[in-house]
Amino acid sequence: PEKQWSLKDFEIGKPLGKGKFGRVYVARELQSKYIVALKLIFKEQIEKYKIHHQLRREMEIQTSLRHPNILRLYGWFHDDERIFLILEYAHRGELYRLLRKNGHLSEKQAATYIASLTNALAYCHEKHVIHRDIKPENLLLDHEGRLKIADFGWSVQSRSKRHTMCGTLDYLAPEMVENKAHDYAVDNWTLGILCYEFLYGAPPFEAETQSDTFKRIMRVDLSFPSTPTVSEDAKNLILRVTSGPGLHTKALASEDFGASLDNQECRSCWYMRYIAFLSF
Ligand SMILES: CC[C@@H](NC(=O)c1cc2[nH]nc(NC(=O)c3ccc(N4CCN(C)CC4)cc3)c2s1)c1ccccc1
């Protein structure tokens, strides 16, 4: 039977980070001496911001996922005012600190991280999970420098589980097919943005104001600075993956998806693995 954890099972250490809805501390489980990260969320915050469903989804999803590049959620417990998530401890902290420190990463380093991310996202998509908030702040590094996706607070279980067609796509309206492929393409698109940021040290559509960034994204107004030197292969990968969500989706949707949506999801996962292959 599941062990019932409580605060007295842990010795709490220094704070690791703070987010909008909580903060994370390093902690040691007293019996096993095992180091974990304990994420605290105040119940009044959950009430105030109405994030019950989001938190429940985060817990269900992260508990169910088992992948070397996804941070484990081992369990949880609560007291009168707080909920505690017992998370895997990533010893080398946040990837974005490494990125800020070094300015940008080498192609080899970027390719390694993009391949890990792609495999983790392909695994998520096979489980009908879309993270939707992949950014350097949510990427951690374990003691071996291996990438771990954290914070599934914005992830969703894709609708397709209930809507998976057994028939063919032939009778589906374009927006439905587009919508379906779009679900997964959100994470795929992000891979291209991250690849650019790893190689150049800043995301491709950065702008003074949010609305300018939005305009640049919608126009896919992406250009490559002359420095640092980046290989043609890497640029092609970025262009291919950020060929606009619409185009990408259409590309996914236009290929003969005579088969069921499942094929399409596999197609999306295939596409992801293709990206992983490309990024070496
Ligand atoms: C991704 C954000 C999310 N974070 C988690 O869930 C997090 C889960 C989790 N597990 N392990 C972590 N490790 C660290 O945060 C960490 C940071 C710096 C470290 N170093 C500093 C430099 N030094 C040289 C080496 C050690 C080591 C570990 C974090 S964060 C979050 C969400 C809500 C509220 C707070 C945090």
Side-chain angles (χ1 to χ4, degrees):
E2 283 290 287
K3 170 160 176 57
Q4 292 307 314
W5 296 105
S6 83
L7 204 44
K8 65 178 182 2
D9 293 320
F10 298 92
E11 181 188 50
I12 307 239
K14 63 181 175 42
L16 288 173
K18 76 194 264 82
K20 190 165 161 50
F21 302 120
R23 54 199 106 162
V24 177
Y25 295 84
V26 64
R28 185 203 318 268
E29 200 279 316
L30 294 171
Q31 223 109 34
S32 62
K33 301 275 176 267
Y34 198 71
I35 300 285
V36 294
L38 218 46
K39 184 166 156 186
L40 279 66
I41 306 152
F42 283 90
K43 288 182 177 175
E44 68 181 8
Q45 297 255 314
I46 296 171
E47 300 301 325
K48 183 176 169 193
Y49 293 103
K50 306 257 172 293
I51 52 166
H52 307 78
H53 55 283
Q54 183 182 320
L55 182 61
R56 188 194 338 280
R57 218 168 29 207
E58 175 180 354
M59 293 160 74
E60 281 162 3
I61 288 176
Q62 208 156 352
T63 310
S64 71
L65 298 176
R66 296 272 194 285
H67 187 278
N69 299 114
I70 294 174
L71 200 78
R72 282 291 312 281
L73 170 58
Y74 299 121
W76 61 282
F77 57 93
H78 64 101
D79 62 14
D80 296 351
E81 66 269 4
R82 293 164 295 187
I83 288 189
F84 298 85
L85 305 187
I86 309 167
L87 291 163
E88 175 183 357
Y89 179 58
H91 295 68
R92 292 201 200 164
E94 297 134 324
L95 174 55
Y96 89 89
R97 282 188 196 283
L98 182 85
L99 195 54
R100 293 291 172 269
K101 191 160 65 98
N102 301 1
H104 61 86
L105 305 180
S106 69
E107 289 211 16
K108 175 138 186 49
Q109 188 69 280
T112 309
Y113 289 144
I114 293 296
S116 307
L117 259 174
T118 306
N119 289 331
L121 286 175
Y123 168 83
C124 289
H125 293 178
E126 271 150 21
K127 312 257 298 188
H128 308 292
V129 169
I130 305 162
H131 188 281
R132 296 196 310 177
D133 190 19
I134 303 285
K135 56 189 179 191
E137 291 79 354
N138 285 346
L139 304 177
L140 303 171
L141 297 169
D142 73 0
H143 60 291
E144 291 164 342
R146 202 166 39 182
L147 179 140
K148 301 271 179 180
I149 302 178
D151 204 11
F152 278 70
W154 297 101
S155 57
V156 286
Q157 194 78 25
S158 154
R159 292 185 320 280
S160 72
K161 202 69 203 116
R162 273 185 286 113
H163 292 217
T164 301
M165 310 298 190
C166 43
T168 73
L169 288 181
D170 300 304
Y171 310 102
L172 272 191
E175 60 278 8
M176 266 302 280
V177 177
E178 169 118 31
N179 197 7
K180 173 76 216 71
H182 171 74
D183 278 352
Y184 293 102
V186 161
D187 284 342
N188 304 0
W189 163 273
T190 308
L191 282 173
I193 305 305
L194 272 173
C195 189
Y196 184 102
E197 181 161 5
F198 288 165
L199 292 170
Y200 291 101
F205 306 118
E206 235 177 11
E208 284 310 302
T209 65
Q210 285 219 331
S211 72
D212 287 352
T213 301
F214 178 76
K215 279 185 213 127
R216 294 196 62 195
I217 291 172
M218 294 321 283
R219 284 202 306 267
V220 194
D221 161 21
L222 182 146
S223 58
F224 297 111
S226 47
T227 57
T229 315
V230 171
S231 71
E232 286 315 306
D233 285 354
K235 290 181 193 171
N236 287 334
L237 170 68
I238 292 167
L239 289 172
R240 197 191 297 252
V241 178
T242 55
S243 60
L247 300 180
H248 165 61
T249 307
K250 283 196 184 60
L252 270 177
S254 64
E255 288 163 41
D256 63 55
F257 280 118
S260 76
L261 276 182
D262 272 329
N263 265 14
Q264 186 166 346
E265 282 160 20
C266 301
R267 190 60 64 92
S268 172
C269 299
W270 165 84
Y271 188 75
M272 304 276 276
R273 295 198 191 289
Y274 178 56
I275 295 171
F277 164 71
L278 273 183
S279 61
F280 268 96

